[in-house]
CSV table of all heavy atoms in Angstrom, one decimal:
chain,number,residue,atom,x,y,z
A,126,SER,N,-11.8,7.9,28.5
A,126,SER,CA,-12.4,7.4,27.2
A,126,SER,C,-12.2,6.0,27.1
A,126,SER,O,-11.7,5.4,27.9
A,126,SER,CB,-11.7,8.1,26.0
A,126,SER,OG,-10.4,7.5,25.8
A,127,ASN,N,-12.8,5.4,25.9
A,127,ASN,CA,-12.7,4.0,25.8
A,127,ASN,C,-11.4,3.7,24.9
A,127,ASN,O,-11.3,2.6,24.5
A,127,ASN,CB,-13.9,3.6,25.0
A,127,ASN,CG,-15.2,3.6,25.8
A,127,ASN,OD1,-15.1,3.4,27.0
A,127,ASN,ND2,-16.3,3.9,25.2
A,128,LEU,N,-10.6,4.7,24.8
A,128,LEU,CA,-9.4,4.4,24.0
A,128,LEU,C,-8.3,4.0,25.1
A,128,LEU,O,-7.9,4.8,26.0
A,128,LEU,CB,-8.9,5.7,23.2
A,128,LEU,CG,-7.6,5.7,22.5
A,128,LEU,CD1,-7.8,4.7,21.4
A,128,LEU,CD2,-7.3,7.0,21.9
A,129,ARG,N,-7.8,2.8,25.0
A,129,ARG,CA,-6.9,2.3,26.0
A,129,ARG,C,-5.6,1.8,25.4
A,129,ARG,O,-5.5,1.3,24.3
A,129,ARG,CB,-7.6,1.2,26.8
A,129,ARG,CG,-8.9,1.6,27.5
A,129,ARG,CD,-9.5,0.5,28.2
A,129,ARG,NE,-10.8,0.9,28.7
A,129,ARG,CZ,-11.0,1.6,29.8
A,129,ARG,NH1,-10.0,2.1,30.5
A,129,ARG,NH2,-12.2,1.9,30.2
A,130,SER,N,-4.5,1.9,26.1
A,130,SER,CA,-3.2,1.3,25.7
A,130,SER,C,-2.8,0.6,26.9
A,130,SER,O,-1.7,0.8,27.5
A,130,SER,CB,-2.4,2.5,25.3
A,130,SER,OG,-1.2,1.8,24.8
A,131,ASP,N,-3.5,-0.4,27.5
A,131,ASP,CA,-3.1,-1.1,28.7
A,131,ASP,C,-2.0,-2.0,28.4
A,131,ASP,O,-2.0,-2.8,27.4
A,131,ASP,CB,-4.3,-2.0,29.1
A,131,ASP,CG,-5.5,-1.2,29.6
A,131,ASP,OD1,-5.2,0.0,30.0
A,131,ASP,OD2,-6.6,-1.7,29.3
A,132,ASN,N,-0.8,-2.0,29.1
A,132,ASN,CA,0.3,-2.7,29.0
A,132,ASN,C,0.9,-2.5,27.6
A,132,ASN,O,1.4,-3.5,26.9
A,132,ASN,CB,0.0,-4.2,29.2
A,132,ASN,CG,-0.5,-4.4,30.6
A,132,ASN,OD1,0.1,-3.9,31.5
A,132,ASN,ND2,-1.3,-5.4,30.8
A,133,ASN,N,0.7,-1.4,27.0
A,133,ASN,CA,1.2,-1.0,25.7
A,133,ASN,C,0.6,-1.7,24.5
A,133,ASN,O,1.2,-1.9,23.5
A,133,ASN,CB,2.7,-1.1,25.7
A,133,ASN,CG,3.3,-0.2,24.6
A,133,ASN,OD1,2.9,0.9,24.5
A,133,ASN,ND2,4.4,-0.6,24.0
A,134,VAL,N,-0.7,-2.5,24.8
A,134,VAL,CA,-1.3,-3.2,23.8
A,134,VAL,C,-2.6,-2.3,23.4
A,134,VAL,O,-3.4,-2.1,24.3
A,134,VAL,CB,-1.7,-4.5,24.2
A,134,VAL,CG1,-2.6,-5.1,23.2
A,134,VAL,CG2,-0.5,-5.4,24.5
A,135,TYR,N,-2.6,-1.8,22.2
A,135,TYR,CA,-3.8,-1.1,21.8
A,135,TYR,C,-5.0,-1.8,21.5
A,135,TYR,O,-5.0,-2.7,20.7
A,135,TYR,CB,-3.4,-0.2,20.6
A,135,TYR,CG,-4.5,0.7,20.0
A,135,TYR,CD1,-5.1,1.6,20.9
A,135,TYR,CD2,-4.9,0.6,18.8
A,135,TYR,CE1,-6.2,2.4,20.4
A,135,TYR,CE2,-6.1,1.3,18.3
A,135,TYR,CZ,-6.5,2.2,19.2
A,135,TYR,OH,-7.6,3.1,18.8
A,136,ARG,N,-6.2,-1.5,22.1
A,136,ARG,CA,-7.4,-2.2,21.8
A,136,ARG,C,-8.3,-1.4,20.9
A,136,ARG,O,-8.9,-1.9,20.0
A,136,ARG,CB,-8.1,-2.5,23.1
A,136,ARG,CG,-7.1,-3.1,24.1
A,136,ARG,CD,-7.9,-3.8,25.3
A,136,ARG,NE,-6.9,-4.3,26.3
A,136,ARG,CZ,-6.1,-5.3,26.2
A,136,ARG,NH1,-6.2,-6.0,25.0
A,136,ARG,NH2,-5.2,-5.7,27.0
A,137,GLY,N,-8.4,-0.1,21.1
A,137,GLY,CA,-9.1,0.8,20.1
A,137,GLY,C,-10.5,0.6,19.8
A,137,GLY,O,-10.9,0.8,18.7
A,138,TYR,N,-11.3,0.2,20.8
A,138,TYR,CA,-12.7,0.0,20.6
A,138,TYR,C,-13.5,1.3,20.9
A,138,TYR,O,-13.4,1.8,22.1
A,138,TYR,CB,-13.3,-1.1,21.4
A,138,TYR,CG,-12.9,-2.5,20.7
A,138,TYR,CD1,-11.7,-3.1,21.2
A,138,TYR,CD2,-13.7,-3.1,19.7
A,138,TYR,CE1,-11.4,-4.3,20.7
A,138,TYR,CE2,-13.2,-4.3,19.2
A,138,TYR,CZ,-12.0,-4.9,19.7
A,138,TYR,OH,-11.7,-6.1,19.2
Side-chain angles (χ1 to χ4, degrees):
S126 74
N127 292 326
L128 180 61
R129 303 183 187 279
S130 187
D131 300 331
N132 298 323
N133 207 32
V134 176
Y135 178 58
R136 309 197 185 284
Y138 287 89

